[in-house]
């Protein structure tokens, strides 16, 4: 009990010191903690927060104020115009997302549900810093005449992420067909031209595909499954 009391006193002293030295820093720490621990702020709590920040005797006046604001689809505040950072999911949200993904896979078929669940158990033990949606990267900026699925773009991103993480490999999630087929889907081509719906890899891409097939840091999504389930579950 004495140790707990001492710890509480130390925490209060540290908080008081932060408030005295930097009111902005203290408030930011409180708001960060609020964001991580509360899934959704109730209207009553939001009104109380706004009222407290509006009081003249607070250490934050007049630099800080709280207002209700609309946020655009791109995360821009309608009051101050700032780009808002995306907040992490709270545990309850993560649990709902996980169950929703597993349910969607099971609805596609029992084998899809089992495959996604096995992946979830596997990836939870790996501790990846980066998870790459390979198909999205490969099709990025390829929506033009002659654009195509680019495995070279995937290889470049994997190399850059490995460099940024001090040599630790990222996880690549990619539909199996892009690793095993002789001709891979190429949906950026006009679908009215059947012969162009699939294309062969270049020599460089074939070498990348061979390297990826032998990597323990690549998860090949089974045919018929949605690869978005996998990278979303991994995150």
């Amino acid at each position: 009990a004495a140790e707990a009391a001492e710890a509480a006193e130390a925490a209060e002293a540290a908080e008081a010191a932060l408030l005295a030295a930097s009111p902005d820093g203290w408030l930011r720490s409180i708001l960060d903690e609020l964001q991580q621990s509360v899934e959704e702020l109730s209207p009553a709590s939001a009104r109380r927060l706004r009222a407290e920040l509006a009081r003249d005797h607070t250490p934050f006046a007049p630099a800080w104020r709280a207002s209700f604001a609309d946020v655009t689809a791109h995360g821009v505040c309608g009051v101050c115009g700032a780009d808002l950072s995306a907040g992490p999911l709270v545990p309850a949200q993560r649990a709902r997302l996980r169950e929703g993904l597993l349910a969607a896979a099971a609805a596609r078929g029992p084998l899809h549900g089992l495959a996604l669940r096995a992946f979830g158990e596997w990836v939870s033990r790996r501790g990846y810093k980066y998870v790459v949606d390979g198909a999205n990267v490969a099709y990025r900026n390829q929506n033009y005449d002659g654009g195509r699925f680019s495995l070279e773009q995937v290889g470049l991103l994997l190399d850059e992420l490995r460099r940024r993480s001090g040599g630790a490999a990222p996880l690549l999630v990619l539909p199996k067909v892009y690793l095993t087929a002789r001709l891979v889907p190429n949906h950026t081509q006009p679908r009215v031209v059947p012969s162009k719906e699939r294309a062969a890899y270049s020599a460089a891409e074939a070498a990348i595909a061979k390297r990826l097939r032998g990597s323990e840091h690549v998860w090949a999504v089974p045919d018929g499954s949605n690869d978005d389930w996998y990278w979303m579950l991994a995150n």
Side-chain angles (χ1 to χ4, degrees):
E3 292 180 357
E6 290 179 0
E9 290 178 2
E12 290 179 2
E15 185 174 340
L18 177 59
L19 175 58
S22 174
D24 284 1
W26 180 84
L27 183 58
R28 287 186 184 278
S29 70
I30 294 296
L31 294 177
D32 286 343
E33 183 178 348
L34 183 68
Q35 182 186 50
Q36 295 172 19
S37 60
V38 178
E39 181 174 346
E40 184 176 354
L41 200 62
S42 69
S45 296
R47 287 193 295 270
R48 182 176 179 181
L49 177 62
R50 182 177 62 173
E52 288 296 321
L53 288 175
R55 295 167 64 180
D56 292 337
H57 70 271
T58 64
F60 323 110
W64 286 81
R65 65 186 177 91
S67 301
F68 291 106
D70 293 324
V71 178
T72 71
H74 300 289
V76 178
C77 175
V79 172
C80 67
D83 291 323
L84 305 181
S85 59
L89 297 179
V90 299
Q93 291 173 321
R94 294 180 67 88
R96 288 202 300 271
L97 176 61
R98 180 179 185 276
E99 292 308 312
L101 292 171
L102 292 174
R108 181 73 59 90
L111 294 181
H112 294 294
L114 291 173
L116 183 61
R117 188 175 295 275
F119 168 77
E121 295 173 354
W122 175 84
V123 77
S124 67
R125 301 190 297 268
R126 301 300 293 255
Y128 284 105
K129 182 177 181 181
Y130 296 108
V131 178
V132 176
D133 176 5
N136 190 37
V137 172
Y139 282 122
R140 181 172 176 79
N141 295 329
Q142 294 296 317
N143 191 23
Y144 61 89
D145 189 22
R148 57 190 295 277
F149 182 93
S150 174
L151 201 58
E152 288 189 77
Q153 291 184 172
V154 176
L156 289 171
L157 179 61
L158 294 178
D159 290 343
E160 174 61 18
L161 293 179
R162 185 187 287 268
R163 184 191 67 78
R164 293 187 183 188
S165 57
L171 171 64
L172 173 66
V173 173
L174 195 65
K176 180 181 177 181
V177 65
Y178 292 111
L179 295 171
T180 59
R182 186 177 65 86
L183 296 176
V184 298
N186 189 18
H187 299 299
T188 61
Q189 297 286 355
R191 297 190 63 79
V192 296
V193 186
S195 64
K196 290 187 177 182
E197 287 192 2
R198 291 178 176 266
Y201 280 144
S202 66
E205 289 175 319
I208 294 173
K210 182 178 180 180
R211 173 166 60 88
L212 295 178
R213 285 194 296 270
S215 172
E216 63 176 333
H217 305 294
V218 177
W219 192 276
V221 177
D223 294 337
S225 283
N226 188 332
D227 57 313
D228 290 338
W229 298 336
Y230 285 78
W231 68 258
M232 292 174 68
L233 187 62
N235 281 288

